[in-house]
């Protein structure tokens, strides 16, 4: 307020501010009243608990009392969601009453329109719900049976081997919950108390201040965290169950516990309650609309939108490195990128991406594009862009991906460049294909077609596949094969949700709260756009990977894997190889990648990057992650890690130094559309091509091969 204003103006302003504060108070959620309500509930519970405790030496389960408290709060919630009645003067003029009537009529019309839209939205929602309710999902049934078996083994283990563990855990939990009740009573009375438990580092579900400041929500948070800790500790410490069962039981129990977190519900999330009160429920209407739209785009499982899909256009603001599609068959398009240097390495570079996502993870934007960086380093870069399989690809297996994919790409690169060999990079499953192809070429006396091989986040030893292993056993694989025998492919959207659930709080439930409870639109994020752009997996290929590699772990075992007429033996592969894994990779655990140092027969360089499956790999020189290296590759990966030294720079730079040993001479830059003799070569379209635009649901709707 201007200092020149009069005292009268200041007084008017002060009155106005007080009025605004009063209005603000009336229009905000009354946490004080709700806290008093919970204080009464807690007092009643405490009194009841004390009476029962006097009558019996056995203590009741406070978790059940907590659930009762939660349920009772819902019954009383409508009182707190109703705005306080406005106390206006009854002496209104006729003109004012007329204006109010007009506004009321307009409001009624708006309400009618809103209700019509809401009814239409509701019909769409229930249509999707009914459609899924009638689906017989053998995969879900198999996972549920596995979980039941796990709990049976757990029960047997508790009874036979660890009868005291469960009792000790329950007693500890009851004591903690009772202490929490006492702390809550003290906090409501104005006393400071120290939390019994706090969220783990990185847990962003309880960041709102009211999770700590408001006694009710602090109680719900701590009660939930204590319960989760108790249950998970019991599973971890119970004897008599095998590691595989314990891992599966732990994973699915964690999924359930995180699904029922108080942060995921309107009634128990203070931030959502506040937003609902302030917007008069409009956030829930927007959220319901977004939920319906996501259901219409989903397969069996709900695929939650993580980003604004409309914000990205392939070839316009993502995957924009200039290049041309110079070859196409039913399996892939081959992209040759425009050089950025006058001279290029004589030996070309071919990149084999995974086919469960699309290649442009290596070309999201200019500053973190591996493709652009490699071009600037003087490489002639060729990239495979895999087709998004339709149902007609049912019988296309790993052998086809080798012959009509990688080997054909090598042929085309040789025809264009005139070079008899190439440096090849394989990412994730693309690296698995590369490893099998190297062994096949060796057995067929063609090992010289690949000069060096680089593996990004590629598993060689599937003994410990991480959390992915909980989805893979004979029962589930058989169910998948039965499903895919009918469908022809595994719907890429299902796999996308499965990968998200490996990090459920950060990749699933946070978006559930943001999109559906808060009603917020997802923010544009290129990495998440790529992550949601799934591809289908053919039935034959998926069965091969699950059975031969994940279940039987045959790739690393000499002579046990029959592949296109040869017995795979990686020890016979003697070309130089560079293997990079990442420390926090939950998809391809680094120790499974490290075993390449023991399995491959040539000169192997292994480095361990920081971060995970994507951020640790797509880590340009300007990135924030370093890597670990040590040239003595002992059998024990933990021993190697202990001896390794960290370098605070991107592994790209380390690889750049390594690949120079395998690039031979330089030649004039190669332009797409011209072969090594100067003759014209076909150009089918601009990068990123046509195959990359086909989404999983579009491919499923097509029968064309």
């Amino acid at each position: 307020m201007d200092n020149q204003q009069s005292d009268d103006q200041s007084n008017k302003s002060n009155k106005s501010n007080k009025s605004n504060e009063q209005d603000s108070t009336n229009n905000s959620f009354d946490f004080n009243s709700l806290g008093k309500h919970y204080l009464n509930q807690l007092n009643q519970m405490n009194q009841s608990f004390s009476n029962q405790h006097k009558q019996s030496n056995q203590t009741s389960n406070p978790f059940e009392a907590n659930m009762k408290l939660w349920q009772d709060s819902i019954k009383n919630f409508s009182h707190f969601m109703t705005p306080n009645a406005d106390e206006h003067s009854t002496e209104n003029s006729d003109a004012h009453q007329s204006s109010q009537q007009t506004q009321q009529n307009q409001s009624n019309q708006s309400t009618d329109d809103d209700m019509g839209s809401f009814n239409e939205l509701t019909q769409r929602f229930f249509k999707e719900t009914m459609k899924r309710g009638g689906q017989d999902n053998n995969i879900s049934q198999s996972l549920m049976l596995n979980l039941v078996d796990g709990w049976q083994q757990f029960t047997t283990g508790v009874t036979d081997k660890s009868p005291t563990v469960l009792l000790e855990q329950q007693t500890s939990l009851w004591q903690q919950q009772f202490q929490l009740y006492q702390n809550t009573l003290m906090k409501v009375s104005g006393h400071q108390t120290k939390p019994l438990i706090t969220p783990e580092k990185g847990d962003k579900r309880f960041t709102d201040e009211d999770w700590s400041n408001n006694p009710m929500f602090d109680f719900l948070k701590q009660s939930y965290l204590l319960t989760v800790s108790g249950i998970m500790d019991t599973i971890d410490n119970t004897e008599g169950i095998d590691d595989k069962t314990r891992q599966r039981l732990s994973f699915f129990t964690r999924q359930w516990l995180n699904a029922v977190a108080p942060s995921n519900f309107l009634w128990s999330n203070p931030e959502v309650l506040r937003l609902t009160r302030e917007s008069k429920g409009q956030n829930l209407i927007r959220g319901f609309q977004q939920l319906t739209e996501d259901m219409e785009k989903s397969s069996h499982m709900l695929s939650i939108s993580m980003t604004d899909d409309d914000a990205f256009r392939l070839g316009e603001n993502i995957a924009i490195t200039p290049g041309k599609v110079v070859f196409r068959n039913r399996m892939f398009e081959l992209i040759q990128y425009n050089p950025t240097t006058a001279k290029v390495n004589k030996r070309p570079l071919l990149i084999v991406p995974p086919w469960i996502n699309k290649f442009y993870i290596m070309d999201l934007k200019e500053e973190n594009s591996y493709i652009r960086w490699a071009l600037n380093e003087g490489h002639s870069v060729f990239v495979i862009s895999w087709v998004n399989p339709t149902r007609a690809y049912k019988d296309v297996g790993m052998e086809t991906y080798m012959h009509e994919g990688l080997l054909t790409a090598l042929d085309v690169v040789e025809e264009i460049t005139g070079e008899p060999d190439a440096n090849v990079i394989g990412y994730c499953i693309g690296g698995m294909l590369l490893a099998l192809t190297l062994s096949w070429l060796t057995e067929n006396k063609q090992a010289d077609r690949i000069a060096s091989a680089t593996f990004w986040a590629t598993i060689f030893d599937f003994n410990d596949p991480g959390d992915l292993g909980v989805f893979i056993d004979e029962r589930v694989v058989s169910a998948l094969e039965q499903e895919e025998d009918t469908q022809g492919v595994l719907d890429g959207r299902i796999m996308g949700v499965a990968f998200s659930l490996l990090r459920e709080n950060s990749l699933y439930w946070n978006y559930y709260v943001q999109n559906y409870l808060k009603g917020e639109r997802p923010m544009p994020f290129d990495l998440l756009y790529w992550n949601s752009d799934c591809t289908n997996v053919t039935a034959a290929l998926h069965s091969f990977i699950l059975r031969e590699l994940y279940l039987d772990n045959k790739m690393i075992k000499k002579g046990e894997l029959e592949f296109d007429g040869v017995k795979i033996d990686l020890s016979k592969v003697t070309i130089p190889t560079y293997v990079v894994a990442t420390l926090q990779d939950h998809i391809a655990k680094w120790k499974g990648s490290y075993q390449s140092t023991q399995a491959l027969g040539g000169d192997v360089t292994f480095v361990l990057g920081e971060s995970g499956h994507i951020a640790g790999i797509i880590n340009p020189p300007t990135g924030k992650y370093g890597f670990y290296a040590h040239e003595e590759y002992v059998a024990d990966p933990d021993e190697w890690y202990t001896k390794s030294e960290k370098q605070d720079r991107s592994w790209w730079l380390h690889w750049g130094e390594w690949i120079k040993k395998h690039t031979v001479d330089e030649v004039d830059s190669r332009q797409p559309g011209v072969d090594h003799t100067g003759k014209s070569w076909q150009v089918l379209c601009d990068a990123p091509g046509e195959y990359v635009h086909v989404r999983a649901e579009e491919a499923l709707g097509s029968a064309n091969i």
Side-chain angles (χ1 to χ4, degrees), residues 313-434:
R313 293 289 184 273
L314 290 171
E316 296 180 16
N317 60 357
I318 191 172
I320 59 174
T321 299
K324 306 290 183 182
V325 173
V326 294
F327 177 83
R328 180 187 297 130
N329 65 9
R330 67 167 183 155
M331 296 302 300
F332 74 100
E333 291 179 328
L334 184 67
I335 302 173
Q336 180 183 2
Y337 284 92
N338 297 349
T340 60
T341 57
K343 295 287 186 178
V344 295
N345 297 320
K346 189 170 183 289
R347 181 171 286 152
L349 178 66
L350 174 63
I351 303 177
V352 186
W355 48 80
I356 58 173
N357 282 102
K358 296 178 180 177
F359 80 90
Y360 63 90
I361 183 60
M362 295 172 280
D363 191 33
L364 292 177
K365 50 191 175 185
E366 184 173 351
E367 53 266 32
N368 67 351
S369 170
Y370 179 86
I371 292 172
R372 188 177 292 270
W373 177 82
L375 290 168
N376 292 339
E377 290 291 301
H379 292 282
S380 288
V381 180
F382 294 80
V383 175
I384 291 175
S385 174
W386 297 108
V387 71
N388 205 335
T390 68
R391 301 181 193 278
Y393 282 72
K394 173 182 176 181
D395 297 322
V396 171
M398 186 70 89
E399 295 91 345
T400 305
Y401 273 81
M402 179 178 71
H403 284 291
E404 296 185 36
L406 177 51
L407 293 181
T408 297
L410 286 171
D411 290 339
V412 176
V413 170
E414 181 177 356
E415 290 183 50
I416 292 174
T417 66
E419 296 301 314
D421 57 17
N423 294 316
V424 183
I425 296 173
Y427 192 177
C428 191
I429 293 180
M432 298 176 198
L433 173 63
L434 176 57

Side-chain angles (χ1 to χ4, degrees), residues 584-604:
Q584 297 172 345
D585 194 335
H586 62 286
I587 295 175
K589 298 186 74 172
W590 76 268
K591 293 180 182 179
S593 296
Y594 177 82
Q595 292 306 320
S596 60
T597 63
Q598 312 300 306
L600 293 168
D603 181 15
V604 182

Side-chain angles (χ1 to χ4, degrees), residues 39 56 109 128 201 216 260 328 330 349 364 385 408 442-443 458 464 486 569 614 645:
L39 173 61
S56 173
Q109 180 63 44
E128 292 297 319
K201 183 179 179 181
M216 179 196 76
V260 299
R328 180 187 297 130
R330 67 167 183 155
L349 178 66
L364 292 177
S385 174
T408 297
T442 300
E443 296 293 342
T458 300
D464 181 13
T486 301
D569 185 353
I614 302 300
E645 296 182 357

Side-chain angles (χ1 to χ4, degrees), residues 224-283:
Y224 167 75
L225 292 175
L226 288 171
T227 302
V228 170
S229 178
I231 292 175
M232 298 306 294
D233 285 347
T234 302
I235 293 174
D236 292 340
N237 297 322
T238 298
E239 299 179 3
I241 55 178
D242 60 87
D243 291 340
K244 180 78 173 180
T245 301
R246 190 189 308 276
Q247 183 186 28
R248 180 181 294 117
L249 190 59
S250 178
F251 177 84
F252 285 109
T253 302
R254 189 190 81 204
Q255 294 291 328
W256 177 76
L257 290 171
N258 286 330
V260 299
S263 54
N264 293 340
F265 298 91
L266 165 66
W267 306 110
S268 50
N269 187 318
E271 186 179 6
V272 175
L273 286 173
R274 224 172 24 247
L275 184 61
T276 303
R277 177 63 181 84
E278 291 168 357
S279 71
K280 298 182 179 180
Q282 288 302 305
N283 58 306

